[in-house]
Each structure stands twice: as C-alpha cells, then as structure tokens.
C-alpha cells in the first residue's frame, strides 16, 4: 500500500507537528527551488559577478519574501534554521568531496603554511575581533553582554566559510590560492571547535600559563586524533575493498561502502567530540589515494561524480536555506525598535572582520615567505590580497554558532541577544553577497589569466582538458612528471627543501609498504594514451 | 567553526529529544550496521538460501537483542518505526531505481497482465482476507474489532512487498516473472491507496452501486493522474537538459537535476494525494528512455550506478530497521499475556495470505493465457506457482499501515489493537525470512536455468554480458533486433497481436515526434563495437 497515506495521515493529524503536511510542502518547495537554482546557475555560468551561492541566496531571500507576504508574517517556524540539519547532513558531503577532489600534492606541499594560517591566524583574528568588540560595544547601550559574550563574538566571526570559498576560487585556475584558502578553512574549523569549547569550559577570570598549555594540548590532541580517525577509516575501506574484491559481484556495493564509511568516520568523530570536518576531509584524501584505485572503472566514474553531485546539492541547499531563514520574523522583532543601532553594530562587526583577517594574513604571509627560497614558492603581494579577501565571507557556521550562543535557555527575548542574532545574519548576507560578488572580478583584476601559470607552479596541461577524471589523473600525472625534480641526496637537501624531501621519502614508503597493502595507482600501471583514457572522455 | 559543537550542544541539552546525542549514536549504529550488511551480503553472495534482505533482517534482529539486553528493555523509543522516514526518504529511491532499470519493452508488453494482477488481483486478495478474518476472528475473543478493522486487515495484508521481490527475482534470469511480479507490486500499491482511503472515507454500512462506481472512478483517476505526473516530470527533465545542454558546463548539474526532478515528482504526487510510487516509477521509465540519452557519457555511468547505490542503501536500511523495530518492547507488552492466541492469529493471517494470493494468481493467469495465441507467451503452471510464491512476502508497507490503523489516537493500549500489531510484525518477519529464503531454491527447482530462455522470450545475449550498461543498452538492442518481427499490416494484425501493433505505432510516434523534442537513443546512433562499448567495460 502506498504513500498517499502520508498525506492522509497528515489530514488526520496523527503525525507530530515536525513531520506533517508542512514538511511535505516545504520539501516540495525546497526541491523545486533547488531545481531552479541549478537551471539559473547554469544560465549565469559565464557571468563574472554572480556565482552559484549568490544565486541560491537571492532565490532564498525572494522566496522568503513571498512566503512572508502570503502568510502575513506567520511562516517563521516552518523554515527555522536547524543546526542538526546543517552539521549532520549538509556539511559532511561538502567537506568529504573537497578532500576527495583536492590536489593532494599541492595541499601537502603547502601544509605548513596552511596550518600556520588556520591555527595561528584564527587565534589572531579571534583576539582582534574580541578586543575590538569589547572596546567598542561596551561603550554602546546594547544590553547585558559579558566578557564571555564578547569572546564568543570573536569566535563566531573568525570562522571563515569554507563552502563559499570553494565556489569563488577555482582549483584549476588558482591552485595555490585554492589550497591555501581552503586548507586554512579546514584547519580554522578545528581551531574554532577548541576555542568555542574552551569558552564554555574554562573559567574566564583565571587565565594563566596552565590554561594556555592545556588549551594548546587540547588543540594538538584534537588535530591529531581527528586526522588519525579519518586516515584509519580511509585505509580500512581500501583494505576491505581490495581484500574482498567487492566489485566482483556488485559495483553498487563498492560505491555504497565508500559512501557509508566516509560518513561513519564523520559521525564517529562527532560522537567522540573530535572535529568531524577534519576527519572526513582526511578520509576523502586517503580514499582518493587508495580506495579509489581499488574499485572497478565504473565505480571510479560514479564515485567521482556522485560525491561531487551530493556536495553540490548540499551547498546549494545550504545557501537557499540561509537566504530563506534570514527573513525569519521572530528575530527581527526585538531588534526593530532601534534600526540605526542594528546597522551600526553590523558595520562595526564587518569592519572588525576585515581588520581581524588583515591582522594575520599579511604578517603570516611575510613569515611564510621568509622560509621559502625559490621565488615561485613565495606568496606575492597580490596573492596576499586575494587570500585576505577570499576568506572574508562568513556563512552558515557563524549563524549556527550565533544561535547556539545567543538563543540558549530562553534568553532570546533579551535585547542584546536579539541584536547579536540579527547582526550576525546581516554580516553573513552582506559578506557573502557583496564580498562574494567582488571576489571573481578582484581575482581577474589582480591575477589576470596570463600570470596564473607564472605565480602558481606549472601544472600538467592534461589536468585542465580531461573533463572526466581530471583532478585524479591530473594529480597523479603531476606527481609522475615532477618526480625528476626531487633527487635523493643528503641532509643538506632536507634542510634546503624539506617539503620535497619529505615527499620523496613518503613516496618510497607509499610504494614499498602502503600500496601493496591498500592498493592504489602503483598496482595498475597507467599508460597515457591507452584506450581507457581516450574512450572514457568520449561523449557528446 | 566545527561540528564538534553538535556533541557539545547535546551535552548541554539544548537540542530537542528527537535530535540529540541519541540520534548521533543511532546514526553511528545504523551506518556501521549497513557497512556490516554490505560486507556480509558480499560474502554470502553465492549462498542459495540467504539474500541481502534476510541478512539485513537477521543483523537487525541480533542488534535489537543486544540493545534490549544492554539497556534492560528501555531502548524501545530510540528505534521506533517512523512512517515518515519510510515513505519520504527510503521508498522513493527504491521505486525510482526500479523504473529506471526496468526492461521497458518487456514491462509494456505484459502491461495488461500486470494491471489485471495488480488491480483485480489485489481486490480479490483483499476480499478473501477480509472475509476470512471476519469469519475466523469474530469467533475468537480478541477484543473490540469492528467491520472497518477487519477490512483494514484485508488491505494491510494484500500489500505485497515489492522491495523484497526485487531482491529474490533476477531481471536477467527470469525476466518475464520479474516484470509480472514487480509490475504487479507497483499497481498493487495504487490499488491499496484507494482501498485504504476508501475505508476511511466511505460509510461502510451503505455499500451500493454508486459507491462502487465512485470507487472505480477514483481508482482510474488516481492511476492516470499519477502516471501522467511521472511522465510529465520525466519529459520536462529531458527537455530542460536537451535544450540547455547543461553538461556543457557541469556534469554534476545534470545528475543533480535528474535526481531532484524525480524526487520532486514523488513529493508532488504525495502532496496531491496521488500514488507517489506510481509517479516516480513512470518518471524513472521516461528518464531512462529520454533524459538518460541527453546527458554526457560520464553522467550516464554515474546516474546508472548512483541511483542503484542509493536504492541499495535504502533497501538494506529498511530491512535492518524492520528487524530492529520488531523487538520494540512496548508492542509485545500487551500481547504477552496470551502467547498462544498471538501465535494462532499470526498463523491464521499467514494462511489467509497464502489463500488470498492463490485465489487470484491461478484464475487470472488462466484468463490471461486465454488471450494469448503463442505458446511462449502463456504463463506456465510452474511460473504461476513462482508468481504466487514470490508475492507472498509482506514488508515495511504492511507494518506502516498497521501502525497507522491500530495505534491511532491513543488506542494502543487496547488488547485487540496490540495483538494486531504484534501479529503483523510476526507475519512480516516470518514471510520475509521463511518464504524469502525458499524463493531462490524454489525457482531453481521449478525453473532450472536451461528452461529460462525457453519460457521467457529469447533475449539478446549482449544484455547479459555487458556489466556496465546492461539493462539500458540491452533493452534498446533488443528493440532493434526484434523490430523485424513486427510488420505493419492491417486491422487483422491489430486484433491478433494487439501489443505488438501498439508497440510498432508507439515506435513510429516516438521516432517522429518525441525523440526530436526530448532526445533519446534515436539521436545518437549506437554502433556496437565502437570504442565506447569496449573501453567502458575496461577495469579490473
């Protein structure tokens, strides 16, 4: 018997309020809007100002207005922002796909810089924004905000939106910037988790050396154990698929197993209070390095595109959701009596975000450049501006944290809390739309296409023109074609080119131990120009 | 900032009870069990008794026992059966994939028989079980059951489990049986929706000609409008993808659009009180006939396997869920004082299911055989037994309907209702496990492999040996190689071979009008032995 009974049940009022007719209606609405976003995004593909996130945000805002008008302001509870939906369902596929498709070699080559930006940079940004907020807001009359609240504001607004970054930066056009800004975003998350938890647990009146040391230890534990969990899950999936040779019976089982084990790693990290984002990111990297090479050819094509599609749907949904939620009438009710003050606070916060990011991007880039010998490895002045700019967007993570901090335990009615919520939404909308719109033109202006290949390392042209397996084969081909640069020699080598040497020994270890056990490219010799490569790109 | 805050929030008790630590734990548990099911299912692949559903059911039951023991019987509410989860998230991918991968030609050739079995057969089964229940149960002392309850029992137990059928029958080995039994299951759903709604709306004391006519009209409306909605959604997706040529910019957008439009058709049908199952099934058929040929080569591989994978995960999840839910302690509490009576009722229901199905399979097969001239088109005696047997399994749909009927508006405590719930669970478990286990051996005994190709129509050998695009290319190749059988002639032709003639004119219409507009195979000439075909099967 059929699902028509669902609608029937709804009419009878049997189901609870969270899952009734309203949910069927809102699922219909969201799915239809998602389709509209995809079609519009396709039509606006060549527009230099608008990207997919902004399209989704605007469509979400417009729909919100329509709903608000048709229901006369009563719709606020249908489309309320849910942290669960965000952290449990939308974020994992996005971050996993980012790890799965990232150019591994480039990511690890810049690993030190990424960690520096993500960990130290986020701290600097946090302190800058917190101190700025204390200095400015305490002189304004915006209700009862304590030191803890100001520090929370610092944490909320130092969380960059890695999802939006993925959309404005192009991995193929600006690979160095992509890996730096995106990698920073991932590490930024780990830092933010520790910061946020620390603010809840530590006594803020007694800050001494012991607290700071505990804090640092906590961070290292979180970073290492999250990474380990992700790597372990990836290797386990590679081992199972290689040993049991699951593709023998069913392609679908391979794909399902990869999908489920990646999600399991994320949820296990959540369960253990680790950073699920870091875990699933490294799980994606390991899976693309080992597991992906153990599955059948059709599973490879399927996983590559299915993961990208799921991530794409989740991203679009997210921006649609944020756009719609922004008009939730409840939040604006308490802040509406002082519109001038609300705008003032949002502007101040935006200014602090700009300053807070500048306060670490330029000094840390300078520090990072000091350690590099070769000119092409250094971060140029123009690239620094792009890094600064591309990380200015604040997104759903900021909103989720603001909700968590300022709507808890019935304090929503407080004037200060209400203003903080609406200001967060304003900052998120403004930064995503205005900063986001300006990013593409800014990159085109500062780094015109001709200079890309000069500033970034020369990449194999194949990776740009093979649409199907681009990033996978690209990264491997790259590895192969560049291996002649690295020559094993001596301690002097390690000191002068530490990353390259580490990479060389990693390759040796990988070939000797890891690949025989977990599979990977080493097992299936790849000959360029083989029938596979040509034919797999066939199509219309 | 990161998702570690979810766990943090849980500790603070901010989130509601439905979405807290418990949900993180149960998601972890379910995902881990799904992985176990996949690995075990792979290892048991060649076992002739066990299939994937039974593995999942058994694992679910065992986990239920473990949870019950560790929590000392307090776990009943974590894993409670949710109709929403079933009808909104699990069923659509399963039925869509069935439509997407079904051998279209065979399905439409048997269309009349399928409708006969699905509509008339389900009615016969419904009346047989209802009358049997009235005759037997009214003499037993099982609480206050009214005529409406007995009719509901008839409706609940005439819903065959099309999901389980998909797993025990093999589309390649027994194609005729597969399309008959599965097609019947889909039509069965539409019939059941009408039956169930009718039981709620019509006054059961006044059954006259007008009511019956209204009932029949309602059924035709439901069937036609659901089909139309599905076909419309499929054609719209084909038209959009063909006109806008979305694959030009992004493969992921094509895949996402197909996925979302299929889901949208299901949800729209739900919203309009139609049969979402029928809608999404026909949407799948249309998408595989038109849309699938308009997308890029990599999208084709991806959609084929991604849809199959999602369906596979949903199926496994479903059986795991039913297995776990069966041990929910609440339900057994009220029935436990009379275990003998509970077993008796379950046995009687099982007997009625057996009789009810026999009461329409054999007479209707006889009727269907009367209309067929050629011997190979007739349903043999052995095949009739398999059709009867393969449709005996009852599944999650029965459980969902039983919950809807017998736990509504606080009547759970009633003795009769409690016994009905536990009996339904018993029947579902028993029929899936025992009947399900015996289906594969029964088919092997009644229809040994050598006779398959004799009883079913000779199928193109290619469709069995091309693992990647088997059913798609298979069905199209089939169409091409058999088209010489059908020769356009006269009215005599239409009378003697109505299905073939309809098919011939459909082909003409398809080629002349539909394909130029909506795309499809006709547009991309397929040459067997082209590089694509060889290379796409490359792999390990």
């Amino acid at each position: 018997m059929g699902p028509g009974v669902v609608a029937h049940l709804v009419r009878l009022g049997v189901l609870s309020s969270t899952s009734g007719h309203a949910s069927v209606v809102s699922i219909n609405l969201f799915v239809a809007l998602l389709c509209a976003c995809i079609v519009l995004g396709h039509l606006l593909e060549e527009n230099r100002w608008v990207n997919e996130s902004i399209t989704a945000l605007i469509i979400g805002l417009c729909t919100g207005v329509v709903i608000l008008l048709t229901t006369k302001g009563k719709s606020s509870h249908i489309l309320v922002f849910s942290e669960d939906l965000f952290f449990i369902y939308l974020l994992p596929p996005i971050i996993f796909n980012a790890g799965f498709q990232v150019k591994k070699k480039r990511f690890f080559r810049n690993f030190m810089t990424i960690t520096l930006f993500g960990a130290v940079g986020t701290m600097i940004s946090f302190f800058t924004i917190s101190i700025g907020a204390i200095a400015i807001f305490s002189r304004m009359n915006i209700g009862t905000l304590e030191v803890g609240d100001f520090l929370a504001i610092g944490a909320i607004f130092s969380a960059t939106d890695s999802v939006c970054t993925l959309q404005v930066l192009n991995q193929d056009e600006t690979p160095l910037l992509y890996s730096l800004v995106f990698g920073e975003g991932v590490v930024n998350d780990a830092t933010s988790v520790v910061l946020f938890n620390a603010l809840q647990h530590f006594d803020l009146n007694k800050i001494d050396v012991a607290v700071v040391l505990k804090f640092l230890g906590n961070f290292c534990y979180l970073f290492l154990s999250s990474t380990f969990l992700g790597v372990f899950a990836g290797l386990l999936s590679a081992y199972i698929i290689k040993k049991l040779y699951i593709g023998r019976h069913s392609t679908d089982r391979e794909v399902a197993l990869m999908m489920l084990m990646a999600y399991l790693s994320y949820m296990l990290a959540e369960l253990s209070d680790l950073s699920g984002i870091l875990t699933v990111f490294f799980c994606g990297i390991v899976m693309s390095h080992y597991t992906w090479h153990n599955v059948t050819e059709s599973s490879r094509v399927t996983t590559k595109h299915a993961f990208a599609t799921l991530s794409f749907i989740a991203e679009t949904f997210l921006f649609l959701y944020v756009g719609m939620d922004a008009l939730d009438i409840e939040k604006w009710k308490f802040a509406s009596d002082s519109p001038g003050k609300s705008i003032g606070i949002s502007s101040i916060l935006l200014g602090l975000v700009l300053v807070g990011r500048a306060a670490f991007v330029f000094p840390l880039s300078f520090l990072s450049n000091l350690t590099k010998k070769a000119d092409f490895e250094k971060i140029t002045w123009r690239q620094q501006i792009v890094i600064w700019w591309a990380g200015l967007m604040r997104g759903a993570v900021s909103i989720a944290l603001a909700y968590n901090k300022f709507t808890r335990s019935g304090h929503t009615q407080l004037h200060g809390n209400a203003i903080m919520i609406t200001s967060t939404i304003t900052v998120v909308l403004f930064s995503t739309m205005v900063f986001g719109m300006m990013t593409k033109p800014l990159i085109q202006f500062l780094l015109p296409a001709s200079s890309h290949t000069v500033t970034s390392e020369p990449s194999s042209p194949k990776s740009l023109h093979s649409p199907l397996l681009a990033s996978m084969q690209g990264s491997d081909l790259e590895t192969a074609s560049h291996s002649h640069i690295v020559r094993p020699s001596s301690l002097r080598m390690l000191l002068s080119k530490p990353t390259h040497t580490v990479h060389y020994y990693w390759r040796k270890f990988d070939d000797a131990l890891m690949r025989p056990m977990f599979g990977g490219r080493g097992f299936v010799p790849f000959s360029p120009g083989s029938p596979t490569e040509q034919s797999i790109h066939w199509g219309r």
Side-chain angles (χ1 to χ4, degrees), chain A residues 126 148 151-153 155 194-202 204 215:
Chain A
F126 161 69
L151 293 179
I153 290 171
V194 181
L195 268 176
F196 204 83
N197 284 341
L199 291 176
Q200 318 286 338
H201 290 302
F202 289 101
L204 293 171
F215 189 87

Side-chain angles (χ1 to χ4, degrees), chain A residues 292-303:
Chain A
W292 193 73
H293 293 284
N294 294 344
V295 298
T296 56
E297 180 68 16
S298 47
S299 291
R300 279 180 226 182
V301 180
T302 306
T303 46

Side-chain angles (χ1 to χ4, degrees), chain A residues 411-432:
Chain A
H411 285 287
T412 338
Q413 325 301 61
L414 284 179
H415 191 236
N417 289 357
I419 278 194
M420 276 301 139
I421 297 276
T422 51
S423 303
T424 309
I425 294 170
T426 314
V427 170
V428 167
L429 285 185
F430 188 86
S431 64
T432 308

